[in-house]
Amino acid sequence: MLEITKEFRNVLKSAGSVAVLTGAGISAESGVPTFRGEEGLWKKFRAEELASVDGFMSNPELVWEWYMFRRNIINSVSPNPGHYALAEMEKLFDNFTLITQNVDGLHKLSGSENIFELHGNILKNKCFECGKPYTEEIDPESGEHPNCECGGKVRPDVVWFGEMLPEAAINGAFEAASRAELFFSVGTSALVQPAASMPIIAKQGGAYLVEVNLEPTPLTDVADCSFLGKSGEILPQIVEILKSEKVG
Ligand code: BJW
Ligand code: ZN
């Protein structure tokens, strides 16, 4: 069983408002590749080269191929115990907000409800030129991106580097972070802004900050408590402790 400090135990018991930020690491145990580290390279390209307006403009076929590759993976995987633990945690607190950088939809599939998706959804498409949603079915084997009725190229409905995040999601997430009494950062390298500033905002607002990640990140020294390991193993144990505290 996971060893936790008395302080963390007390916060788990008393926190009324809880927020969680997740990143690619929470879906790694489902088989979804992360962005950084050795696992993160696709055909030797870095996420920054592919998930950007410049990347799409200079080589739309390559970027489209990367998204079709990832969509095929995401369509074939399921939530893991880390996702289910957060869905269960939502039911155990009066006020719970899940903020995710992930575009794979696995949190919704696992039963989480109050979610802000900061970087969009990979299974949706829109026009690169006019922004209109593109809802036609796309052949997963097709190597070419379709075109919108305006002639613009179709792209995934996700947020690339240099683009603004959806306003409602970013506002809701910052609001939840600033009022959180307990904040978890899970499976994220905590490098990409503005998501990376949310744990800091929470901490500055008085939240107890807990990190769950396979390896240390820039947040590790700032966190009140850091668990280095797999989220699919650590989060279910935190939920078990939480349940025993709520009963006891
Ligand atoms: C496990 C595990 C297991 C593994 N259990 N853990 C200079 C300074 C500051 C900011 C900037 C700057 N220059 C530019 C910026 C802004 C830029 C930015 O942050 N850049 C940095 C890289 C420097 N940000 C933006 O551009 C954002 N927009 C913005 O700021 O708008 C305002 C603005 C607009 C215009 C001009 C100026 C300002 C937009 C960012 C969009 C990011 N988009 C992507 C792609 C989404 C679509 C897609 O999926 O294709 O989002 S990039 C990619 O990174 C994706 C992720 O959501 C995001 C974060 O990655 P994440 O989730 O942390 O994954 P990894 O792989 O990095 O880490 C996984 C971790 O899990 C690792 O640590 C593992 O150890 C761990 N792990 N297995 C637990 N089982
Ligand atoms: Zn269009």
Side-chain angles (χ1 to χ4, degrees), residues 165-180:
L165 281 70
E167 206 178 323
I170 189 80
N171 290 344
F174 270 121
E175 196 267 320
S178 46
R179 74 175 142 73

Side-chain angles (χ1 to χ4, degrees), residues 38-89:
E38 276 180 35
E39 293 275 297
L41 293 181
W42 175 77
K43 293 192 174 178
K44 300 192 182 157
F45 295 100
R46 289 159 50 242
E48 284 77 0
E49 296 172 80
L50 298 164
S52 68
V53 174
D54 287 349
F56 186 70
M57 291 210 305
S58 62
N59 199 342
E61 282 75 24
L62 179 80
V63 172
W64 186 254
E65 190 189 341
W66 181 54
Y67 277 100
M68 293 308 271
F69 162 78
R70 289 173 56 212
R71 272 181 186 162
N72 285 340
I73 295 176
I74 287 165
N75 274 322
S76 69
V77 301
S78 308
N80 67 60
H83 296 106
Y84 287 114
L86 292 181
E88 194 172 358
M89 207 185 262

Side-chain angles (χ1 to χ4, degrees), residues 127 130 148 150:
C127 174
C130 71
C148 171
C150 81

Side-chain angles (χ1 to χ4, degrees), residues 2-247:
L2 193 70
E3 294 281 327
I4 69 165
T5 62
K6 199 166 176 213
E7 198 185 5
F8 180 27
R9 197 174 282 275
N10 286 339
V11 179
L12 269 179
K13 196 171 178 172
S14 65
S17 183
V18 179
V20 182
L21 171 70
T22 63
I26 195 165
S27 294
E29 289 158 79
S30 292
V32 182
T34 58
F35 292 93
R36 289 165 191 84
E38 276 180 35
E39 293 275 297
L41 293 181
W42 175 77
K43 293 192 174 178
K44 300 192 182 157
F45 295 100
R46 289 159 50 242
E48 284 77 0
E49 296 172 80
L50 298 164
S52 68
V53 174
D54 287 349
F56 186 70
M57 291 210 305
S58 62
N59 199 342
E61 282 75 24
L62 179 80
V63 172
W64 186 254
E65 190 189 341
W66 181 54
Y67 277 100
M68 293 308 271
F69 162 78
R70 289 173 56 212
R71 272 181 186 162
N72 285 340
I73 295 176
I74 287 165
N75 274 322
S76 69
V77 301
S78 308
N80 67 60
H83 296 106
Y84 287 114
L86 292 181
E88 194 172 358
M89 207 185 262
E90 179 166 0
K91 298 191 177 74
L92 296 166
F93 289 106
D94 293 338
N95 192 313
F96 184 93
T97 306
L98 181 54
I99 305 162
T100 189
Q101 300 169 82
N102 297 347
V103 296
D104 56 30
L106 290 177
H107 283 303
K108 262 184 203 153
L109 262 184
S110 69
S112 285
E113 286 174 7
N114 192 26
I115 311 175
F116 291 115
E117 289 181 324
L118 297 180
H119 294 162
N121 189 311
I122 197 172
L123 302 176
K124 294 185 186 158
N125 295 292
K126 66 179 181 185
C127 174
F128 183 67
E129 298 298 335
C130 71
K132 198 175 155 199
Y134 182 86
T135 52
E136 304 284 314
E137 190 117 346
I138 292 175
D139 175 5
E141 302 305 324
S142 151
E144 277 185 28
H145 57 79
N147 287 323
C148 171
E149 58 195 17
C150 81
K153 294 178 175 64
V154 168
R155 55 163 285 182
D157 192 358
V158 297
V159 180
W160 284 335
F161 284 110
E163 293 185 312
M164 303 300 286
L165 281 70
E167 206 178 323
I170 189 80
N171 290 344
F174 270 121
E175 196 267 320
S178 46
R179 74 175 142 73
E181 291 161 56
L182 172 59
F183 192 100
F184 291 91
S185 175
V186 180
T188 174
S189 55
L191 294 172
V192 174
Q193 297 293 351
S197 64
M198 291 176 185
I200 309 292
I201 300 272
K203 172 107 180 141
Q204 285 169 348
Y208 190 82
L209 179 58
V210 179
E211 179 179 51
V212 179
N213 207 62
L214 209 49
E215 58 193 358
T217 75
L219 266 191
T220 309
D221 287 342
V222 183
D224 293 293
C225 189
S226 180
F227 298 100
L228 294 182
K230 292 185 174 179
S231 47
E233 293 171 4
I234 292 167
L235 290 175
Q237 296 185 66
I238 293 178
V239 169
E240 282 315 305
I241 295 170
L242 172 62
K243 286 201 285 196
S244 68
E245 288 298 328
K246 294 265 175 190
V247 171

